[in-house]
Amino acid sequence: DGGITQSPKYLFRKEGQNVTLSCEQNLNHDAMYWYRQDPGQGLRLIYYSQIVNDFQKGDIAEGYSVSREKKESFPLTVTSAQKNPTAFYLCASSIAYRVEQYFGPGTRLTVT
Amino acid sequence: GIQVEQSPPDLILQEGANSTLRCNFSDSVNNLQWFHQNPWGQLINLFYIPSGTKQNGRLSATTVATERYSLLYISSSQTTDSGVYFCAVEDKAGTALIFGKGTTLSVSS
């Protein structure tokens, strides 16, 4: 089955710890994205990557980092510098930059 | 940056009713997508519709790019239609999608 997978589905961490969220796609898409969703809100862009070994900051990149070493993988690290990390994180991909995006199932991160 | 406003914020329907959701945006766009977010959080693509009209079963969408709005029509609503509907746009010089705050639809039997 082709699609986007995110793991884990739920993640709990203590304040001050870094945590990495996984995003994998087997759609052969070039572009990948990370969004954050807070309760009752729309999604906001954290980082995006148009091609392997290249990525750009989105609107709310502070406290996050990413890597894009392989076409199919785009992990997101939530660092201890992120002041309000508790949120729902969604990964997306598109066949090319700036065309229709498809989303993974998301990871709910809770930091206490 | 571009602003995206969705209305109404909440909508309660009886099964079988029809509804229209609206998305207004403040500038020209390259891309407009409608999504349905189910109770588990999954975003399901409904339409990729920067302009024109499309239909898929009981759902249809129209985007009038020159007037900067898009409409999502749901006919003969079912309980499984419940959830949050998002409109998202990408502006001419944009990087990725800019989302509205969504319309929460509740359909009861």
Side-chain angles (χ1 to χ4, degrees):
Chain A
D1 277 338
I4 304 169
T5 56
Q6 292 187 242
S7 61
K9 193 170 184 177
Y10 297 94
L11 191 53
F12 298 89
R13 281 293 183 270
K14 293 290 186 185
E15 199 172 317
Q17 293 179 335
N18 292 354
V19 60
T20 297
L21 282 57
S22 168
C23 177
E24 304 277 332
Q25 53 97 2
N26 60 4
L27 301 167
N28 201 32
H29 284 178
D30 282 320
M32 296 186 74
Y33 311 81
W34 274 106
Y35 293 87
R36 168 185 172 136
Q37 186 179 25
D38 294 288
Q41 301 294 316
L43 281 66
R44 293 181 292 166
L45 180 68
I46 304 172
Y47 269 97
Y48 68 100
S49 168
Q50 299 179 51
I51 56 172
V52 175
N53 293 322
D54 181 66
F55 49 83
Q56 305 295 329
K57 292 182 179 180
D59 299 326
I60 55 167
E62 186 175 349
Y64 299 97
S65 65
V66 294
S67 62
R68 186 86 188 276
E69 297 176 2
K70 298 186 294 183
K71 186 175 185 177
E72 60 269 23
S73 178
F74 191 40
L76 173 75
T77 297
V78 184
T79 75
S80 56
Q82 168 49 234
K83 293 179 181 177
N84 296 295
T86 295
F88 186 45
Y89 291 87
L90 290 127
C91 177
S93 70
S94 58
I95 193 165
Y97 182 51
R98 302 184 76 175
V99 296
E100 187 173 9
Q101 294 184 28
Y102 296 86
F103 283 79
T107 292
R108 292 193 186 275
L109 173 64
T110 302
V111 176
T112 57
Chain B
I2 194 166
Q3 305 296 315
V4 180
E5 293 185 359
Q6 292 186 243
S7 60
D10 300 283
L11 191 53
I12 300 173
L13 299 174
Q14 284 287 109
E15 205 167 22
N18 302 329
S19 60
T20 301
L21 283 59
R22 187 176 180 102
C23 173
N24 291 335
F25 41 96
S26 59
D27 204 345
S28 302
V29 297
N30 274 330
N31 170 13
L32 188 146
Q33 291 186 243
W34 281 99
F35 297 93
H36 175 213
Q37 188 168 40
N38 65 23
W40 298 272
Q42 174 79 56
L43 274 175
I44 298 162
N45 289 45
L46 297 178
F47 295 101
Y48 173 76
I49 186 166
S51 63
T53 297
K54 291 186 177 180
Q55 180 156 8
N56 184 3
R58 296 182 296 105
L59 274 60
S60 64
T62 295
T63 297
V64 183
T66 53
E67 296 186 23
R68 299 178 186 169
Y69 73 89
S70 184
L71 301 174
L72 177 69
Y73 305 96
I74 304 174
S75 65
S76 303
S77 58
Q78 301 175 359
T79 56
T80 51
D81 294 331
S82 296
V84 184
Y85 290 80
F86 286 106
C87 167
V89 305
E90 181 187 297
D91 63 23
K92 294 289 185 185
T95 54
L97 294 174
I98 301 163
F99 281 74
K101 293 189 175 182
T103 292
T104 300
L105 175 63
S106 299
V107 182
S108 58
S109 57

